[in-house]
Amino acid sequence: MIVACGIHLMPVLDAIGTPRPSCIAGVASDGELALLRCVDTDGDLLAAIPPDTRVIAVDAPLVVENRSGQRPVEHALAWLDAPAFPNSITRLTQLYGGLRGVGLRDRLAARTARVVETLPDLVLRELAWEAVHPPTDPPLELAEYRAAWLGVRAPRYRPKGLGRAVPGGRAAAAALMAMAMDIGGWLPIADPDDWQAIADAARLDAMACAYTAWRVASAPQHTLLIGDPRIPMAVPADANLRARAALHAARRPTAG
């Protein structure tokens, strides 16, 4: 039974005018990749989600209430030395023609599954960290952790956009995913053309989202939830990342 799904969502249909797919991945209760599909429309995405799915993680901003600047969750991520693209209504409309994720969120709300956002790059960065520092290890001293964390990077595997992919980036990302869950021997195309590389990158994003959803469902004690409590940002987290997030939360001024 698939208990967790991850969605890599292209910002707005037809906004870029190229065949960049959205993808969905599903993970069974035993941690095995059981679904991996690229689709075109929101209707196709929704139809592909198995009815028993408990958690859905989406690679797109789902709660965007600020007209400009950055969302509170992105401010928090920056404090954790995990900077993310600053999303706002104005910026998403200018760059992508709208807020596709918000519309999908409203359609997902009719389901019983828990819905979260996630960031594939941060997921893969945390998996690279956990390859050396398992999530069950006690936290390091903050200064030691921060210095080591700053040296960890996710593989660059997207062939277009900011931070062009480097040769081997998709294989390195797939290897990290295979360490975290059973991806059934899936491998990216070894010598792809541009569109094949884009599709494989979208599949990797969907797998990272699905793994995050599975971790929320199966190991919530090793997951960090931050941001909007209705639909939070979720990422895999070891004791170090959770401790640093707790320190940030304790230092924030209280409302009123």
Side-chain angles (χ1 to χ4, degrees):
M1 180 180 70
I2 292 177
V3 299
C5 280
I7 295 172
H8 165 71
L9 188 68
M10 278 303 300
V12 176
L13 292 174
D14 301 324
I16 301 176
T18 56
R20 296 169 181 263
S22 294
C23 287
I24 181 169
V27 179
S29 57
D30 61 359
E32 180 181 2
L33 182 69
L35 168 68
L36 186 61
R37 185 182 308 167
C38 289
V39 299
D40 293 322
T41 69
D42 289 353
D44 294 336
L45 277 172
L46 293 166
I49 299 172
D52 293 331
T53 301
R54 292 165 50 194
V55 183
I56 301 169
V58 183
D59 172 22
L62 302 181
V63 179
V64 187
E65 298 176 341
N66 50 307
R67 178 64 55 181
S68 60
Q70 64 179 182
R71 300 182 298 165
V73 68
E74 289 139 11
H75 174 79
L77 287 170
W79 197 90
L80 298 176
D81 292 311
F85 181 84
N87 290 290
S88 68
I89 294 171
T90 299
R91 181 173 284 111
L92 291 172
T93 301
Q94 289 175 340
L95 291 179
Y96 303 120
L99 285 70
R100 188 181 179 193
V102 173
L104 183 67
R105 175 203 71 196
D106 292 341
R107 298 179 71 178
L108 288 171
R111 296 174 175 264
T112 57
R114 185 175 193 181
V115 180
V116 299
E117 288 185 34
T118 196
L119 296 170
D121 284 333
L122 182 53
V123 174
L124 288 165
R125 185 182 178 190
E126 175 64 19
L127 291 181
W129 171 267
E130 290 182 5
V132 180
H133 306 276
T136 52
D137 282 0
L140 305 171
E141 293 293 329
L142 179 58
E144 181 183 358
Y145 166 63
R146 185 167 186 262
W149 172 250
L150 288 172
V152 177
R153 292 287 182 270
R156 296 203 323 237
Y157 56 92
R158 298 181 190 89
K160 302 287 185 180
L162 295 176
R164 293 178 64 88
V166 297
R170 289 180 305 281
L176 283 174
M177 292 307 313
M179 290 174 60
M181 67 181 192
D182 181 0
I183 63 173
W186 182 88
L187 289 172
I189 296 172
D191 187 21
D193 62 29
D194 283 350
W195 301 123
Q196 290 171 329
I198 287 170
D200 271 352
R203 293 183 182 99
L204 286 163
D205 285 338
M207 280 191 273
C209 292
Y211 174 72
T212 299
W214 179 83
R215 193 130 147 184
V216 171
S218 303
Q221 72 277 21
H222 299 311
T223 307
L224 177 63
L225 302 177
I226 57 175
D228 192 300
R230 297 168 296 171
I231 301 182
M233 177 75 70
V235 291
D238 67 314
N240 292 282
L241 188 57
R242 295 195 310 275
R244 189 156 186 217
L247 177 62
H248 173 57
R251 288 179 172 177
R252 287 185 304 177
T254 58

